[in-house]
Amino acid sequence: MDETRKGFIQLHLSVLLAGFTGLFGRLITLNEVDIVCYRMLFTSLILLVFTGLPRVGWRKFLQLCGCGALLGFHWILFYGSIKASNVSIGVICFSLIGFFTALFEPLIYKRRLSWLELLFSVITVLGVLCIFSFDARYRYGIAIGVVSSAVCALYAICNKKASVGVRSRTVLMYQMSGGLVLVSLIIPIYLLFFPSQQPVLVIPDGTNLWFMLCHALFCTVGMYLLQIQALKRLSAFTVNLSYNLEPCYTIILAFLIFGEGREINFSFYIGIALILISVLLQTRRAWKK
């Protein structure tokens, strides 16, 4: 099996696991800050058992911690968007990650802007608009979700560079543990701008504890190990654009499990079709390369 094909298999398995992330955000009744802290803590402990503490250079260690902080901040905003609206809105906003990547990646890597990548991203944006139809009831959740997707785009771009030459498990281990420390410093500032209506930093128990452990093991350790492997074989834009399939999985599951508000109408199918077209076009382009 060639490296590109292997990368696509790893990528789409990780997207499938990512589809359950939004559902756990709804099932876990804790504040978004608690969800992120425990997710990173449990993931760090799981990885510590399997990887120990491999030695990396200080510069590489700081880079990985910085990526972990971006990831943790993205998660806080992502779950905040779900809490402020619903699962469907949170994951639809996440689809904008491809659009932001098409803008940020050329700036960070100092290369020319790809108008073709931007076109693929615009198709995705149109799909998002068709699914969402700008429902004003969820304006606050949408705003948080848009910022969340921008932060996640930065994470994926920086992670591609920071993970070079380091084993995937080691990358994730230091991102989770180092990111947890840095995210803890961000939390007071976040709560200052977005005050919580729930108690913060409570100990999970019962179903919350069970859901958090499953979330950490499958939707974090499993998903991100596959994603990091895929990033070593594919571009950050291809990986991020393919993650636009995540809302397709999550929305359908949210309708089935939670019976979320809206009926599936014609515009929903048009939006899903546009997102799928943008992903398939970029996949075909990357495969031909």
Side-chain angles (χ1 to χ4, degrees), residues 30-267:
L30 303 176
N31 175 272
E32 61 266 27
V33 168
D34 287 340
I35 294 176
V36 173
C37 285
Y38 284 118
R39 183 180 184 182
M40 299 186 95
L41 175 62
F42 291 157
T43 303
S44 298
L45 294 175
I46 291 169
L47 287 167
L48 183 62
V49 172
F50 292 102
T51 65
L53 291 171
R55 300 181 69 177
V56 295
W58 274 105
R59 184 176 180 181
K60 182 67 70 175
F61 173 74
L62 293 175
Q63 288 176 344
L64 294 175
C65 289
C67 289
L70 283 173
L71 180 60
F73 189 44
H74 153 65
W75 281 345
I76 291 174
L77 293 170
F78 175 69
Y79 294 126
S81 176
I82 290 175
K83 300 290 185 183
S85 52
N86 59 36
V87 176
S88 301
I89 297 300
V91 295
I92 287 171
C93 291
F94 182 73
S95 295
L96 295 172
I97 186 174
F99 174 73
F100 286 115
T101 306
L103 294 177
F104 295 160
E105 195 170 28
L107 294 174
I108 292 174
Y109 285 105
K110 296 179 181 178
R111 63 173 176 82
R112 292 179 61 185
L113 182 70
S114 171
W115 295 105
L116 194 57
E117 289 183 357
L118 203 57
L119 175 62
F120 292 152
S121 300
V122 169
I123 294 173
T124 301
V125 172
L126 292 175
V128 171
L129 295 180
C130 285
I131 295 172
F132 174 58
S133 301
F134 283 113
D135 192 331
R137 292 176 299 166
Y138 302 120
R139 191 173 297 165
Y140 181 64
I142 294 161
I144 301 174
V146 169
V147 178
S148 169
S149 65
V151 174
C152 191
L154 283 174
Y155 161 73
I157 295 167
C158 296
N159 188 42
K160 181 176 177 63
K161 192 172 183 178
S163 62
V164 172
V166 185
R167 293 182 66 188
S168 301
R169 287 181 294 179
T170 304
V171 169
L172 194 56
M173 167 66 190
Y174 287 121
Q175 283 186 356
M176 292 296 106
S177 54
L180 177 60
V181 175
L182 294 176
V183 165
S184 300
L185 301 177
I186 297 172
I187 289 173
I189 302 172
Y190 174 81
L191 293 175
L192 189 64
F193 288 96
F194 303 100
S196 174
Q197 303 300 317
Q198 300 173 268
V200 179
L201 299 179
V202 299
I203 299 174
D205 56 6
T207 55
N208 277 332
L209 179 59
W210 170 246
F211 287 144
M212 284 300 315
L213 289 171
C214 290
H215 193 23
L217 182 59
F218 297 109
C219 296
T220 310
V221 176
M223 183 188 79
Y224 280 99
L225 286 178
L226 288 167
Q227 185 192 101
I228 291 166
Q229 287 288 341
L231 275 167
K232 293 180 179 180
R233 297 178 171 90
L234 305 169
S235 73
F237 177 79
T238 299
V239 171
N240 282 350
L241 189 67
S242 297
Y243 265 80
N244 289 328
L245 288 171
E246 178 187 340
C248 303
Y249 301 143
T250 308
I251 290 171
I252 293 169
L253 289 169
F255 279 135
L256 292 173
I257 297 173
F258 302 120
E260 289 202 342
R262 297 195 314 265
E263 293 182 357
I264 298 178
N265 52 29
F266 184 68
S267 65

